[in-house]
């Protein structure tokens, strides 16, 4: 009986193994595809890759894998990338693990890191020799063959890890005997390998013949062919030569005449690779694994040519389990409730809750315990250099300049704001003109959602969850508002029967008309055979935690500019004096109730210095704010006895 690793927790059923995904793809006749990434050499390269991985998530890969340097030379970064992909981006991740210069304790460390990240898939390889050695040699106290590594992982972790193994349709560096390679492959599968990933190739006839031979030898696990898209002619030849890949003559004839035109090479290469993929799929192999070389464009072009990825500007057809991106980190796969405030800052929410012992499943508990992580402790602030952010958002010197930045974001001329890591999505289309109008009047919108009254769960814009269901949501708006307008706005809210709000400034002067501190569901779904799912909520303690982050982000933006500069003074004045308010229209039939609250409201003198028309509060509410209706609270959640009149 296998000895399971100490401290190991058996995976739950939500941890879908790669072999399960591939088996399901074959059953449905819908090809699965996946991407390979490798650890970059520079800090900036790592950040660029994370941004690219985040964007490539929307293409809908079944999984991604991350390579391993010889001897674990990039092991820390590999483990970090696995953790980020799995936890932050919600990408099912497979970690490469090699035998090269790896003592047993290094393998143990790597497997523990993968388990801690929630990764349940390992690609077990012998690995290439280090660059300073001509031949591969086993390290003392390590493993000689991938077979040994497969056996070890299986003995230590049982069925927790799905174990991939390598296949060589065209032979490998130190073994060209196809029969011996086939025998080795069968041994690895019999020892616990559950899927096969092949080396890259371009000779599809040879690959298909090899697949038939694999099946004839009684090997039935899924096969994942390695596909290398064509970036440039020189890179194409270099990589083919490095892997001893045979290049079909018709490929040579098609690419040679245009070899000096990179755009033409990518276009023709797209067609050649796509046609190869079609033949693979037609042969019954329902998987494609793209060696991306940490680039997106060529892979995306092939997927679009195959109809496996949405074309530019069209919604993804891949169903979303929830309205927000799930984390696949350890213990988070069952998480199904989150506050709406982090709608556009998914990664910071995951970071600030990563130390929770359990995550909301079915209902939102008391978010005081465990508490949200402090902003400073998790490096949650504004990303990018000062120069980059100034180039992105300019040097605003008036409130109109600030408003114009928000309007450009809403028009998709800008892809981010300090409070939003992602561009505006199609979900905002029904209310986009209202949002633009508010910002032009100096009301700076941070997060929003339109009301939705029972659209099908398969709707390409608003849909989520399993098919056959219906989804709903209440209109929601969060914005920064001048204290000179807040009293009027709250007076208008008090005259409604369905609208609730929370408002606070940087100093923590919290105002609310909510009936209590408990959660208010703003998104829910009804599905066959399931209880009502309420995945997005508004809740007081979470809003206080978000307040700290929101004002920190604005302050970081101000600090991008030199001390004493007009831009810094302007943004600091907004952060120090304005209120952050969230508003929920609890009548989900209402489409414009929230926006009607703002009829006629506008900050005066948008083009003048902000200091001329904004009170300096220094942590205290000015007199007109102190006279607001509503419940007044401190940021530790205590409620004063009196209701201010």
């Amino acid at each position: 009986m296998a000895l399971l690793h100490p401290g190991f927790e058996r995976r739950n059923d939500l941890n879908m193994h790669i072999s399960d995904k591939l088996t399901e793809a074959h059953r449905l006749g819908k090809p699965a595809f996946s991407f390979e990434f490798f650890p970059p050499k520079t800090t900036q390269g790592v950040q660029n890759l994370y941004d690219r991985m985040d964007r490539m998530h929307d293409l809908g890969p079944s999984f991604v894998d991350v390579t391993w340097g010889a001897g674990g030379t990039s092991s820390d970064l590999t483990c970090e990338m696995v953790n980020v992909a799995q936890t932050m981006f919600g990408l099912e991740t497979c970690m490469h693990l090699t035998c090269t210069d790896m003592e047993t304790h290094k393998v143990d460390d790597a497997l523990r890191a993968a388990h801690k990240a929630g990764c349940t898939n390992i690609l077990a390889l012998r690995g290439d020799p280090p660059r300073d050695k001509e031949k591969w040699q086993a390290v003392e106290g390590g493993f000689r063959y991938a077979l040994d590594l497969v056996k070890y992982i299986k003995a230590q972790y049982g069925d927790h890890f799905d174990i991939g193994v390598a296949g060589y349709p065209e032979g490998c560096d130190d073994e060209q005997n196809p029969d011996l390679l086939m025998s080795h492959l069968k041994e690895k599968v019999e020892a616990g390998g559950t899927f096969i990933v092949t080396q890259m190739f371009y000779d599809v006839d040879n690959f298909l013949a090899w697949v038939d031979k694999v099946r004839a030898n009684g090997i039935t696990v899924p096969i994942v062919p390695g596909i290398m898209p064509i970036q440039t002619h020189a890179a194409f030849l270099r990589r083919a030569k490095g892997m001893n890949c045979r290049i079909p003559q018709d490929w040579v004839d098609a690419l040679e005449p245009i070899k000096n035109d990179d755009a033409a090479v990518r276009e023709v290469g797209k067609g050649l690779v796509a046609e190869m993929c079609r033949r693979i799929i037609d042969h019954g192999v329902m998987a494609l694994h793209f060696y991306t070389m940490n680039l997106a464009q060529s892979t995306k072009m092939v997927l679009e040519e195959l109809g496996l990825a949405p074309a530019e500007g069209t919604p993804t057809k891949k169903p979303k389990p929830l309205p927000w991106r799930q984390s696949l980190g350890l213990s988070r796969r069952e998480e199904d409730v989150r506050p709406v405030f982090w709608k556009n800052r998914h990664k910071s929410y995951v970071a600030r809750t990563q130390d929770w012992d359990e995550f909301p499943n079915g209902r939102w508990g008391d978010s005081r315990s465990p508490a949200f992580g402090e902003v400073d402790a998790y490096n949650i602030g504004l990303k990018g250099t000062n120069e980059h952010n100034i180039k992105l958002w300019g040097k605003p010197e008036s409130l109109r300049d600030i408003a114009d930045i928000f309007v450009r974001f809403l028009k998709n001329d800008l892809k981010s704001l300090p409070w939003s890591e992602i561009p505006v999505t199609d979900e905002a289309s029904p209310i986009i003109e209202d949002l633009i109008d508010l910002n032009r009047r100096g009301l700076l919108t941070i997060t929003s959602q339109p009301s939705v009254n029972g659209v099908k769960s398969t709707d390409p814009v608003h849909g989520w969850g399993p098919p056959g269901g219906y989804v709903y949501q209440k209109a929601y708006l969060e914005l920064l508002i001048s204290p000179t307008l807040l009293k009027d706005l709250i007076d208008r809210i008090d005259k409604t029967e369905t609208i609730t709000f929370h408002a606070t400034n940087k100093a923590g002067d919290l105002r609310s008309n909510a009936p209590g501190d408990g959660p208010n569901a703003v998104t829910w779904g009804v599905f066959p055979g399931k209880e009502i799912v309420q995945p997005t909520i508004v809740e007081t303690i979470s809003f206080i935690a978000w307040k700290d982050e929101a004002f920190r982000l604005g302050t970081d933006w101000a600090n991008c500019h030199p001390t004493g500069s007009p831009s810094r003074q302007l943004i600091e004045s907004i952060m120090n004096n304005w209120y952050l308010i969230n508003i929920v229209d609890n009548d989900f039939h209402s489409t414009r109730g929230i926006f009607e609250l703002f009829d006629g409201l506008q900050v005066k003198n948008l083009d003048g210095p902000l200091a001329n028309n904004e009170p300096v509060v220094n942590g205290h509410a000015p007199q007109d704010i102190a006279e607001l209706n509503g419940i007044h609270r401190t940021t530790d959640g205590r409620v004063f006895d009196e209701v201010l009149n």
Side-chain angles (χ1 to χ4, degrees), residues 509-523:
D509 178 42
L510 180 66
R511 316 270 168 174
S512 177
N513 70 343
D517 288 341
N520 178 10
V522 293
T523 306

Side-chain angles (χ1 to χ4, degrees), residues 212-230:
D212 292 341
K213 187 174 181 181
V214 169
R215 299 309 186 209
N217 275 267
I219 302 172
T220 60
V221 300
I223 295 172
V224 186
I227 309 296
M228 178 72 78
I230 298 175

Side-chain angles (χ1 to χ4, degrees), residues 43 61 116 135 198 202 204 211 273 305 307 316 333 352 407 439 470 541 600:
T43 301
K116 184 178 179 181
K135 294 184 178 181
T198 78
Y202 294 116
V204 68
V211 169
V273 174
E305 180 73 8
T316 178
R333 290 180 183 255
R352 293 185 67 184
V407 170
N439 283 281
Y470 290 87
I541 304 303

